[in-house]
Amino acid sequence: MAFVKDMLRMWAHSWKRFISIAMITLLGVAVLTGIYAGCRDAFRSTDRFFDAQGLHDVQVLSTAGLSNGDIAALRKVNGVAKVQAERSQEVTFDLDGRKSATMQEIGTNGIDQPYLQEGRMPKKAGEIAVTRKFIRDSGKRIGSRLTVTPESASSDTSDTSDTNGADGTNETNGTDEAPSFPTKLTIVGVVLDPQNLSNPDGYSAMTSFRSTATTDYTFFAPSDGVTGTLYTSATLLVKGAAAESTFDESYENTVKQVADRIDGTVKTDRQKARRQELLDAGNKKIADARAEADKKFADAQSQIDANRQQFNQQVDQIVSMQAGAAAAGAATNGANAGAAAAAGATTPQLDETTRETMRETIIAASPELTQAKQQLDQAQSQLNEQKASTEHTLKTKENELKTSIPQVRWYVQDRQSLGGFSALKSDLDSIQSLGNAFPIVFLLVAVMMSLTAMARMVEEDRSLIGTYVGLGYGRLAVASRYLLFALLACLIGGGLGLIAGFLGIPAFLLVVLQGMYVMPGLRLEYDWLYGSLGIALFVVGVLAATIYACVQEMRQTPAALMRPKAPRAGSRILLERIRPVWNRMGFLGKVTARNIFRFKSRLIMTVGGVAGCTALIVCGLAINDTVADLGIKQYRDIYQYDLMVVSDDSDASAMRTKVASDGRVTSSLDVRIESGDLTVAGSGDGDSGKTGSSGSESIQLVAVPEKHLSDLGEMVTLQPVSSGILGTSGVGKTGSLKLDDDGVIVAQSAASALGVKAGSKVRLTNGDGVQATAKVSAVNRNLIGSDVYVSETYYAKLFDSKDAKNTKNSKSSEDSEALTWNAMLAKLSGSDTSQTDYAESLEEDSSVMKAVSCAHMADSFKFDLMGAVVALIVALAGGLALVVLFTLANTNVSERVREMATLKVLGFFDREVHHYVNREMMILTVMGVILGLPLGRLVGGMLTMALNMPSLYFEVEVKPLSYVIAAVATMAFALLVQLFVNPVLDRIDPISSLKSVE
């Protein structure tokens, strides 16, 4: 019992050490569990939402649309739980300028169901549900009416040749009908699209660096009123996928197996079958056209023949009359009247030659008959020409049918191809990677500080330990006094750390996340296993340090332990050998130098602890500086143009005319911009239709006219980059990179995420969904967005644009009909404010789809999630620095109580004692700061390398002010600790402290 009381008394006396160990454990466990828990809560809530709404696991698209036969084939694939055929149509409407939307049919099989936020779901034809983004932008509300106009080519599924039968006519020849939706619409509900969880009302609404040039909105309509038997896509649910977390590798493997089966068993057969259907439909249309033409020609020939017969009868009648008259006039005078009359009444028989001669004579003598004959001959000639022309046309179509209908391609995509899904996953993964890295530093610092504190605690009880061992107490029992002390401190600190880690930090992170994404059903959850392991990790580290300290002391005999520890033998330090310096130092300076460098363990612990904390602060500030400069570097340095204007293909000419007439442009470059996809080309067929793997990135494909390739460098800074280390990259000379016809230039942001470099092969998908394998000629410095630049000729080569293959030798790119230049990059006159206002005014024009001002983007770019995490890390690192300095300072004082008492006996005033002790700590702190600043830059570079986020490349930037802030903050913490240490020095009693322990 006395042993326990003494142990408790010893614990109470060492309360400062207890608090230090508990605080370090609290911070470490909080960092270890907090960021993880916040990301995990977001992952789990999102996964539950996706399962509830039936977000598809696999989506199948086709360049020729999907038929009922395709849907039936997909249902037979092993592992497919549900298949839903989907119809959609692109429409336009007037909303402060021309806007586009996708009319999406609400599936009846429970897949991709929109989440109702307000109102009710549409049930009747003409009713729609819209997203909150549309409500915010349009100012409309539930009950408002809207009229839309279908696009001329509503979707890629109907953009087949004129002979493929997919032109929207529902005939009996097997031709499918393209989807068609009502155009008079009424808003009855506000919904959340499960494929896009972006929060339109959040503070991230203006952060548009991930935006792509797709339709502006999505309208959801019921099946009632939707016509068409041709499907835009097919969405599938995979058996067993719902039981897995959508963000885990096990889910990806489950879905990949089914996607591979579709590629292997269905895709090839159905592509051939679908193309044959189109060929059969085309042949039937040609046969129908021939039959209809033959019927029309036969009718026309019958009419001409009837008219010619009538004409011949009329001429023959005249011939007969003239022949009869001639016979009557030639009768002799001896003939009687009756004989003459009989002769006149009988038509003489004429041979064919005579008759034909008379016909020609009669026709030539009559202008009316001549004109009639000419008209008949002309009609016959025209009919013959039409017959020949029609037959030639039909034969040509028969010959061209196979080449005019391209090969049908299927594209099998998973959830990774959804921009909203991949952005959320990447954001959370990147933040979680920070949460996995920082606790390592906290753990190392905790072990170092625990070793320092517990070693001093054991050393203070050296004689008591010897006494207990001499009395017969086992070394394990004696060591348990310190092990239980450390264990209790870790458990209390760890318990508080779990509260902060599973409640405080996640709540903070989720507030930031909800400003970027809508996450219905979000709740905080506790992970018993991870929380327990988090505490156990720090318990093991601290107990290991405690065991080491105990073993170091208890391996001596009780008699040796009960005697005071012999002072450390004197030795020279390196500075003493530098005589010019040493001889000029004062007495206290020499003592300070000896105290710093003779006690190696104290030097290492103090400098290492301060360096680690300083490095954490620098690392956090480095990430903050890197993110803060992204917008300025991209939109003011890399992008040299001031304005980008995008229009529909049909409005491209009107858009250029509008911009030119305003007189604000000083120079411009017409380009074509399409939203596409870039995938690392794997082994096998480069044109494989499977996309959406982890090696995929949404891109902005920019095609440049052949005659203006050199002008691209005036609009965009072209600098080749090569992979570096520790967050750096080698950047080539400005202007040394040129766009040519041998490959594409890929943005650094996409190349870094996918591991692409110059010479790599990548698979590009253009705006029409056509895929091709391209060579990467260079990687261009780019931080925000994923631009891929391609020449007009190489674009034609990749995507088989037949009309563009000879554009290189054409007189002008304007004369070429190969590509429609639907966008313009322009430099503007005027201030940043006027440029922003001009871009906003352009968006109100009906010919403009999107107008982006680089000045506005540079000023408005922000990355709130990363900023919030950085602020959290810096705050925790600052707290750790304060605890470390407090622990080291108290340990230093406790080790030198007799020394301080001696100084007081020698006549040192309290202030002089403060200065004597604090000067050593400040010097060690400065040394730690000097070591921690470059270490922080090193760690910051390593962490930013791990942040591979869609459309972002973190070019590490640490401003001088950040180094100053980190150094000043650490020094300020050291000064703050002195305020707690000085009273301890004042309370040292010289008399009692100098009493001999013997």
Side-chain angles (χ1 to χ4, degrees):
M1 189 65 182
F3 181 82
V4 175
K5 287 183 179 180
D6 184 62
M7 180 178 65
L8 296 176
R9 189 181 300 112
M10 181 267 293
W11 288 5
H13 178 72
S14 303
W15 64 272
K16 292 180 181 178
R17 293 190 182 94
F18 187 92
I19 293 178
S20 296
I21 296 175
M23 286 298 299
I24 292 176
T25 307
L26 185 154
L27 292 173
V29 172
V31 172
L32 178 65
T33 60
I35 297 178
Y36 158 81
C39 295
R40 185 213 53 179
D41 292 341
F43 278 140
R44 288 189 175 182
S45 65
T46 306
D47 183 60
R48 289 192 299 267
F49 176 74
F50 287 159
D51 291 341
Q53 304 309 122
L55 182 65
H56 68 261
D57 299 313
V58 177
Q59 183 182 45
V60 178
L61 302 171
S62 172
T63 55
L66 298 172
S67 63
N68 289 322
D70 297 328
I71 303 301
L74 289 172
R75 288 195 175 99
K76 297 177 182 178
V77 176
N78 183 27
V80 173
K82 287 183 179 181
V83 178
Q84 179 173 285
E86 297 189 345
R87 294 176 291 185
S88 63
Q89 183 183 32
E90 291 186 10
V91 298
T92 59
F93 56 94
D94 186 17
L95 180 63
D96 295 330
R98 191 166 182 245
K99 297 293 183 180
S100 60
T102 298
M103 295 289 296
Q104 181 67 47
E105 179 186 15
I106 300 176
T108 58
N109 209 12
I111 302 178
D112 289 345
Q113 298 297 296
Y115 176 78
L116 183 63
Q117 294 179 302
E118 185 180 348
R120 63 176 178 84
M121 295 298 292
K123 298 179 181 179
K124 301 177 181 179
E127 295 181 343
I128 60 169
V130 299
T131 60
R132 191 167 296 280
K133 179 177 183 291
F134 175 77
I135 295 293
R136 186 199 66 182
D137 294 347
S138 66
K140 296 183 180 296
R141 57 185 179 180
I142 294 177
S144 299
R145 298 183 181 277
L146 182 69
T147 301
V148 297
T149 303
E151 288 278 13
S152 57
S154 61
S155 69
D156 291 338
T157 61
S158 62
D159 292 342
T160 51
S161 67
D162 293 337
T163 61
N164 66 5
D167 59 354
T169 60
N170 189 13
E171 301 177 9
T172 59
N173 57 6
T175 300
D176 293 308
E177 181 184 356
S180 178
F181 287 72
T183 57
K184 304 292 185 179
L185 308 176
T186 302
I187 301 173
V188 299
V190 179
V191 296
L192 173 65
D193 185 355
Q195 298 186 27
N196 183 9
L197 301 184
S198 299
N199 185 1
D201 298 323
Y203 44 73
S204 63
M206 292 301 296
T207 307
S208 57
F209 60 90
R210 286 175 179 157
S211 298
T212 55
T214 56
T215 55
D216 300 301
Y217 309 100
T218 301
F219 299 157
F220 296 90
S223 298
D224 186 20
V226 182
T227 61
T229 56
L230 190 68
Y231 302 109
T232 310
S233 64
T235 51
L236 293 75
L237 293 182
V238 175
K239 292 179 181 178
E244 306 289 345
S245 173
T246 185
F247 302 99
D248 289 346
E249 187 176 354
S250 58
Y251 167 82
E252 295 179 1
N253 293 335
T254 301
V255 173
K256 184 177 183 299
Q257 292 177 2
V258 175
D260 290 342
R261 292 192 192 109
I262 295 175
D263 271 338
T265 61
V266 178
K267 174 181 169 181
T268 304
D269 293 341
R270 292 308 307 171
Q271 285 179 162
K272 293 180 179 178
R274 179 59 180 156
R275 185 168 188 269
Q276 189 60 48
E277 289 177 3
L278 298 177
L279 288 173
D280 292 343
N283 286 324
K284 188 175 187 305
K285 290 189 71 173
I286 293 175
D288 292 343
R290 176 177 278 111
E292 183 178 356
D294 289 345
K295 182 177 182 301
K296 290 180 179 179
F297 291 150
D299 293 341
Q301 187 65 55
S302 298
Q303 183 65 36
I304 293 175
D305 291 343
N307 292 337
R308 190 175 293 280
Q309 182 180 5
Q310 183 179 358
F311 174 80
N312 289 337
Q313 289 177 354
Q314 184 178 358
V315 173
D316 288 341
Q317 184 179 1
I318 296 175
V319 169
S320 299
M321 290 175 61
Q322 289 184 355
T332 60
N333 294 329
N336 56 34
T346 302
T347 301
Q349 297 296 322
L350 301 176
D351 60 82
E352 188 62 31
T353 301
T354 305
R355 181 178 290 276
E356 187 62 30
T357 302
M358 293 182 66
R359 287 168 55 85
E360 293 178 358
T361 303
I362 293 170
I363 293 174
S366 172
E368 292 82 1
L369 293 177
T370 300
Q371 183 179 5
K373 184 177 184 302
Q374 290 176 349
Q375 290 177 348
L376 287 172
D377 292 342
Q378 184 178 3
Q380 185 64 54
S381 176
Q382 290 177 350
L383 180 60
N384 294 337
E385 290 178 0
Q386 289 178 2
K387 283 183 178 181
S389 175
T390 300
E391 184 62 25
H392 180 269
T393 300
L394 292 176
K395 285 185 176 296
T396 301
K397 283 190 173 292
E398 286 179 341
N399 295 331
E400 294 179 351
L401 182 59
K402 289 186 177 182
T403 57
S404 63
I405 296 181
Q407 294 293 332
V408 176
R409 296 190 181 276
W410 273 26
Y411 300 112
V412 184
Q413 301 175 335
D414 57 21
R415 291 181 181 178
Q416 291 286 349
S417 63
L418 300 177
F421 176 88
S422 59
L424 172 62
K425 184 177 185 298
S426 181
D427 282 348
L428 294 178
D429 283 343
S430 299
I431 300 307
Q432 199 167 34
S433 67
L434 294 179
N436 294 335
F438 276 95
I440 297 176
V441 180
F442 278 78
L443 178 61
L444 293 176
V445 173
V447 172
M448 292 173 57
M449 295 304 101
S450 299
L451 179 60
T452 301
M454 296 310 299
R456 180 55 194 164
M457 184 176 181
V458 173
E459 186 177 340
E460 286 179 353
D461 291 347
R462 174 186 175 88
S463 60
L464 185 60
I465 293 173
T467 301
Y468 277 124
V469 174
L471 291 174
Y473 286 90
R475 282 180 167 78
L476 180 59
V478 177
S480 65
R481 293 159 48 96
Y482 310 100
L483 293 175
L484 292 176
F485 176 85
L487 177 62
L488 184 61
C490 285
L491 292 178
I492 293 177
L496 296 176
L498 291 180
I499 295 176
F502 283 98
L503 292 178
I505 295 178
F508 169 75
L509 289 178
L510 294 179
V511 167
V512 180
L513 280 171
Q514 286 178 315
M516 301 176 66
Y517 302 98
V518 179
M519 300 180 183
L522 186 61
R523 63 173 181 263
L524 302 178
E525 299 180 25
Y526 180 71
D527 188 333
W528 287 97
L529 178 61
Y530 194 86
S532 301
L533 291 177
I535 294 180
L537 184 63
F538 281 85
V539 166
V540 169
V542 173
L543 287 184
T546 305
I547 292 173
Y548 176 80
C550 292
V551 169
Q552 288 295 104
E553 290 293 336
M554 293 183 184
R555 63 185 176 181
Q556 303 180 44
T557 63
L561 288 173
M562 285 187 285
R563 288 194 299 270
K565 189 174 183 179
R568 182 183 297 272
S571 62
R572 289 175 177 268
I573 63 175
L574 179 63
L575 190 60
E576 291 185 52
R577 304 181 187 278
I578 307 176
R579 289 298 178 179
V581 177
W582 184 258
N583 292 337
R584 285 172 172 77
M585 293 176 62
F587 171 74
L588 292 180
K590 293 180 179 179
V591 173
T592 300
R594 284 197 178 102
N595 287 337
I596 290 175
F597 294 105
R598 283 181 60 203
F599 300 97
K600 301 291 192 304
S601 61
R602 183 197 307 165
L603 172 66
I604 294 173
M605 293 297 178
T606 304
V607 173
V610 173
C613 298
T614 305
L616 285 177
I617 297 175
V618 172
C619 182
L621 295 175
I623 298 175
N624 183 70
D625 290 343
T626 299
V627 173
D629 282 351
L630 283 178
I632 296 176
K633 288 181 178 180
Q634 180 69 36
Y635 296 109
R636 296 192 183 277
D637 183 14
I638 298 175
Y639 286 166
Q640 298 181 42
Y641 61 83
D642 301 314
L643 177 71
M644 179 179 72
V645 189
V646 184
S647 71
D648 284 335
D649 287 357
S650 58
D651 297 326
S653 178
M655 177 269 291
R656 288 194 292 271
T657 302
K658 164 64 179 174
V659 175
S661 64
D662 291 337
R664 296 290 305 274
V665 176
T666 58
S667 62
S668 64
L669 174 64
D670 293 337
V671 296
R672 177 169 183 81
I673 293 181
E674 299 176 355
S675 295
D677 189 76
L678 183 145
T679 307
V680 178
S683 59
D685 183 10
D687 292 333
S688 172
K690 185 176 179 182
T691 62
S693 63
S694 58
S696 179
E697 186 87 1
S698 296
I699 62 167
Q700 184 170 265
L701 188 62
V702 182
V704 183
E706 195 66 34
K707 292 293 185 180
H708 300 283
L709 294 181
S710 59
D711 296 338
L712 179 62
E714 298 179 3
M715 294 296 169
V716 179
T717 301
L718 298 178
Q719 288 180 279
V721 295
S722 57
S723 300
I725 59 173
L726 304 179
T728 63
S729 58
V731 181
K733 182 180 179 182
T734 301
S736 61
L737 183 60
K738 301 293 184 183
L739 180 63
D740 53 33
D741 300 332
D742 296 329
V744 299
I745 297 178
V746 178
Q748 185 180 14
S749 47
S752 175
L754 300 178
V756 173
K757 59 183 179 180
S760 298
K761 295 289 186 180
V762 296
R763 188 178 303 117
L764 292 177
T765 305
N766 69 356
D768 295 327
V770 180
Q771 291 190 340
T773 299
K775 175 186 175 183
V776 177
S777 61
V779 176
N780 183 50
R781 178 173 176 253
N782 197 84
L783 308 180
I784 302 175
S786 296
D787 297 331
V788 174
Y789 300 101
V790 58
S791 69
E792 182 181 6
T793 299
Y794 196 59
Y795 182 99
K797 178 181 177 181
L798 291 176
F799 303 111
D800 196 26
S801 178
K802 299 182 180 61
D803 295 335
K805 289 187 175 180
N806 297 319
T807 56
K808 187 172 183 178
N809 299 321
S810 61
K811 294 181 180 180
S812 173
S813 61
E814 293 291 337
D815 298 331
S816 172
E817 297 180 359
L819 293 175
T820 300
W821 309 114
N822 66 339
M824 174 189 292
L825 308 180
K827 293 183 179 180
L828 303 177
S829 59
S831 63
D832 291 350
T833 302
S834 65
Q835 292 177 9
T836 301
D837 294 340
Y838 178 60
E840 293 177 354
S841 66
L842 280 179
E843 286 202 323
E844 298 178 1
D845 190 89
S846 60
S847 64
V848 176
M849 178 189 298
K850 187 72 174 178
V852 179
S853 167
C854 286
H856 173 70
M857 294 300 295
D859 294 337
S860 63
F861 176 84
K862 56 184 178 179
F863 194 7
D864 304 276
L865 180 58
M866 187 63 71
V869 175
V870 166
L872 177 65
I873 290 173
V874 171
L876 293 174
L880 180 63
L882 184 61
V883 174
V884 166
L885 290 170
F886 179 79
T887 303
L888 293 172
N890 277 282
T891 302
N892 183 39
V893 172
S894 65
E895 289 178 341
R896 305 168 64 185
V897 171
R898 292 176 64 83
E899 182 184 352
M900 299 302 103
T902 302
L903 292 176
K904 288 190 175 184
V905 170
L906 293 176
F908 278 66
F909 293 104
D910 288 344
R911 181 171 297 179
E912 293 174 323
V913 174
H914 297 169
H915 179 70
Y916 177 80
V917 175
N918 293 332
R919 181 168 57 179
E920 294 180 17
M921 284 301 300
M922 292 302 294
I923 292 175
L924 290 173
T925 301
V926 170
M927 294 171 63
V929 169
I930 294 174
L931 179 62
L933 293 179
L935 181 62
R937 171 62 179 81
L938 184 69
V939 176
M942 295 173 64
L943 285 177
T944 50
M945 286 181 64
L947 298 178
N948 289 331
M949 305 183 68
S951 305
L952 282 179
Y953 176 79
F954 293 95
E955 191 175 70
V956 183
E957 176 79 17
V958 185
K959 296 180 180 178
L961 181 60
S962 296
Y963 288 118
V964 174
I965 292 175
V968 170
T970 305
M971 299 303 296
F973 290 142
L975 294 174
L976 180 62
V977 168
Q978 290 181 12
L979 299 179
F980 296 99
V981 174
N982 289 340
V984 177
L985 295 174
D986 295 341
R987 288 194 295 269
I988 294 177
D989 183 7
I991 304 301
S992 61
S993 299
L994 291 176
K995 286 181 180 178
S996 174
V997 295
E998 299 178 343

